[in-house]
Amino acid sequence: MSDKYAVPNKLPGKTVSVLKHRKRRIQQDKSVLEQKRTERIKRLKKAKTHHKFRRAESFVMGYLKAERTSKRIRQTILRTNVTEQSAKAAADTNHKLLLVMRHAGKKIFDKTTSEIFKTLRMGQRHNAVFLENNKENQLLLRVIEPYVVYGFPTLSTIRELLFKKGFASIDGKKTAIQSNTMVEEQLGDKGVICLEDIIHEIYTVGPNFAAVNEFLCAFMLSSPRDGWKKKVSVSFKRGGEYGDRGTGINELIARCL
């Protein structure tokens, strides 16, 4: 038999270190991730600094929309009975809690509407928050009504929102609620030590409702499954989508989760 096909009976002279190869692969993976992160940051910075060309018509349309919204708000506020109607709407219902979701207004040109959304912590579309059903909030909802849907949530809706979309604001950062310990650390002095206490405080609009609501971030929902069934630009009372839905808000939120 030829020596060409003979099997050597000695081990290789060069020592192969498994740990050394593993360490090198880990370093390579870290370098690739760091490079991708750096490139992504550069792309985002470039996109922010780059100004897209805008036609003059777009500025005119923005101005007209702002004027139209301001006129509607002035007419709403200048009505002699708008405050009385807001107080009556809050007093006539037994429900103390409102669930409000912003469904429209990707770009809002009116300053008053933008400030109200900022105050209510609904800076983006599909943001949802809990509000106390009182005269002040009813008046605000009348002003921003074409952009929002609202109604009276059930206990199961509140529970689903918190378990599926619930985030907390801790030191100014949006943090997932991972344990009851986190709740106790932030709200323990208010007697709220677990997620069930948060649900009870929101549903009953208890004495610590404001603190609990501030602890929670605005819920970020999705578009409704199967889309909007009716015209979004028409109020719910007239057969459209926006405005007061009463208990019908629960069916809509279920499609948005």
Side-chain angles (χ1 to χ4, degrees):
M1 188 175 180
S2 175
D3 294 337
K4 181 179 178 181
Y5 301 102
V7 179
N9 55 2
K10 292 184 179 180
L11 293 173
K14 189 176 179 180
T15 307
V16 179
S17 175
V18 177
L19 294 177
K20 190 175 181 180
H21 284 296
R22 185 183 298 169
K23 186 177 180 181
R24 187 174 69 250
R25 287 197 303 272
I26 292 172
Q27 290 294 335
Q28 287 175 350
D29 293 341
K30 285 183 178 179
S31 301
V32 171
L33 288 174
E34 189 64 31
Q35 185 178 0
K36 287 183 178 179
R37 192 179 295 112
T38 306
E39 290 177 355
R40 182 172 176 273
I41 293 172
K42 286 182 179 179
R43 284 198 306 271
L44 290 175
K45 284 184 178 180
K46 188 177 180 181
K48 287 181 180 179
T49 54
H50 178 68
H51 298 285
K52 293 183 179 179
F53 174 77
R54 291 183 62 185
R55 295 182 179 274
E57 291 84 352
S58 65
F59 293 98
V60 174
M61 287 303 298
Y63 177 78
L64 291 176
K65 287 179 181 179
E67 278 292 312
R68 196 180 303 127
T69 306
S70 298
K71 185 177 179 181
R72 180 186 59 79
I73 291 173
R74 283 197 302 271
Q75 289 176 348
T76 302
I77 294 176
L78 289 176
R79 287 173 187 164
T80 54
N81 59 347
V82 66
T83 308
E84 295 176 5
Q85 287 177 356
S86 301
K88 189 173 183 296
D92 286 349
T93 55
N94 296 325
H95 302 276
K96 298 179 181 179
L97 182 67
L98 289 171
L99 175 59
V100 186
M101 186 186 85
R102 175 178 170 180
H103 73 89
K106 185 177 181 180
K107 290 184 180 179
I108 295 178
F109 300 94
D110 181 67
K111 188 176 179 181
T112 304
T113 308
S114 300
E115 289 296 325
I116 292 175
F117 275 125
K118 195 179 294 183
T119 304
L120 297 179
R121 301 181 301 144
M122 290 192 290
Q124 298 178 355
R125 277 196 308 173
H126 302 140
N127 277 156
V129 294
F130 294 113
L131 293 179
E132 186 179 356
N133 186 18
N134 54 29
K135 181 179 70 175
E136 291 78 11
N137 288 333
Q138 283 281 354
L139 184 57
L140 291 178
L141 290 175
R142 283 177 178 273
V143 174
I144 61 172
E145 192 169 22
Y147 303 100
V148 296
V149 293
Y150 59 95
F152 312 119
T154 59
L155 184 61
S156 60
T157 300
I158 298 171
R159 194 184 301 275
E160 287 287 319
L161 274 172
L162 283 170
F163 278 105
K164 291 184 178 180
K165 300 287 184 177
F167 285 86
S169 177
I170 299 176
D171 298 329
K173 294 181 180 180
K174 187 176 180 179
T175 310
I177 304 175
Q178 298 175 343
S179 64
N180 290 330
T181 307
M182 182 188 298
V183 177
E184 188 174 3
E185 288 175 355
Q186 300 295 322
L187 300 172
D189 56 336
K190 302 287 192 302
V192 180
I193 60 173
C194 63
L195 201 57
E196 289 297 327
D197 288 344
I198 290 179
I199 295 171
H200 178 267
E201 197 70 25
I202 289 174
Y203 183 67
T204 58
V205 191
N208 300 313
F209 174 79
V212 170
N213 207 20
E214 188 178 353
F215 169 72
L216 294 173
C217 293
F219 302 99
M220 190 64 197
L221 305 181
S222 305
S223 299
R225 286 191 301 274
D226 304 326
W228 298 96
K229 298 180 179 179
K230 301 173 184 176
K231 282 191 176 182
V232 183
S233 58
V234 180
S235 68
F236 186 74
K237 293 179 180 178
R238 293 166 52 196
E241 291 287 357
Y242 78 76
D244 185 8
R245 287 172 167 258
T247 55
I249 191 69
N250 298 286
E251 184 268 336
L252 175 65
I253 296 298
R255 291 196 291 126
C256 293
L257 288 174

